[in-house]
Amino acid sequence: MKKDTGYKIKLGMFISLGIALFIIGIYFIGEKQQLFRGTFHLSGVFKDVSGLQAGNNVRLSGINVGTVENISIVSDTSIRVEILIDESIRKFIKKDAVASIGSEGLMGNKLLIINPGTGGKMEIENNDIVKTIQPVNMDDILISLKTSIDNTSNITSNLSKIT
C-alpha cells in the first residue's frame, strides 16, 4: 500500500509538471503571436513584397512592435500586406507614417519597417492604410554592380594597352 501511494504521488507530480510546461509553452507561443495583448491592424499596398511572408516581424525605430498577419494579391500590380501591431505603440505612429520592406542583415529574413512620421500629425487609427515605398531589389543592385565591374574591366584593359 505504501509503495502504491508513492507511485501515485510521483505520477501526480509528473502530470502536474507536464501541464505546467504545456501552459508555459502556450503562453510563450501566444506572446510571440501577440494573442494576449491589445493590438490594432494596419495595411499597406506594395507592388512587390520581395519575399516578405506572413509571420515576419514589423519594426519601428529598430524595435519589434508587431507581425505581418496576412499577404494577399489584390491585382496584377498590387499586393496588400496586413499588419498586426501592439496597441501601446499606436501613439508613436502618425498618419503620415511610411512602411518599407527590409531585411535582417545582408541575407536575413525580410521584415516590414515603419517610419513613424512627423510629430505634429494625428495618431494612426485601427484598420488605416499606411503609405508604402518600394523596397530596394537585390537583383537590381547586382545588375548595377555587374555593369560597374564590366566598366572597370574595360578601363583597366585600356590602361594596360596605353602603358
Side-chain angles (χ1 to χ4, degrees):
M1 182 75 174
K2 196 171 194 178
K3 272 187 166 179
D4 194 35
T5 306
Y7 288 129
K8 287 182 180 178
I9 290 174
K10 288 179 183 178
L11 179 63
M13 288 174 48
F14 180 75
I15 290 175
S16 298
L17 182 65
I19 291 173
L21 288 175
F22 179 73
I23 291 171
I24 290 170
I26 293 292
Y27 174 76
F28 283 120
I29 291 170
E31 188 69 25
K32 180 157 176 51
Q33 297 297 323
Q34 297 185 354
L35 295 176
F36 306 120
R37 291 190 208 167
T39 57
F40 70 100
H41 292 85
L42 293 178
S43 62
V45 178
F46 291 90
K47 289 183 181 175
D48 180 13
V49 292
S50 301
L52 186 72
Q53 298 176 355
N56 286 111
N57 290 330
V58 176
R59 287 194 180 161
L60 177 75
S61 301
I63 299 170
N64 290 340
V65 295
T67 57
V68 175
E69 187 175 38
N70 189 22
I71 298 174
S72 58
I73 298 174
V74 177
S75 69
D76 60 342
T77 59
S78 59
I79 299 171
R80 181 183 184 94
V81 177
E82 296 174 13
I83 309 162
L84 188 66
I85 298 180
D86 191 2
E87 181 67 40
S88 65
I89 304 300
R90 183 191 301 230
K91 60 187 169 197
F92 301 111
I93 303 175
K94 306 302 179 190
K95 289 277 189 183
D96 62 343
V98 177
S100 64
I101 297 173
S103 63
E104 293 180 290
L106 188 58
M107 300 298 283
N109 290 335
K110 295 294 182 179
L111 53 89
L112 194 73
I113 301 168
I114 297 179
N115 182 351
T118 56
K121 301 284 183 177
M122 292 177 50
E123 290 178 10
I124 203 157
E125 296 175 11
N126 193 21
N127 295 321
D128 268 357
I129 296 175
V130 68
K131 296 175 192 158
T132 60
I133 57 174
Q134 294 309 310
V136 176
N137 193 346
M138 282 301 286
D139 292 336
D140 295 338
I141 293 172
L142 292 175
I143 289 169
S144 174
L145 183 62
K146 183 184 179 324
T147 304
S148 298
I149 290 172
D150 291 342
N151 290 339
T152 304
S153 176
N154 289 336
I155 290 170
T156 54
S157 67
N158 289 341
L159 283 174
S160 174
K161 288 177 186 176
I162 292 172
T163 57

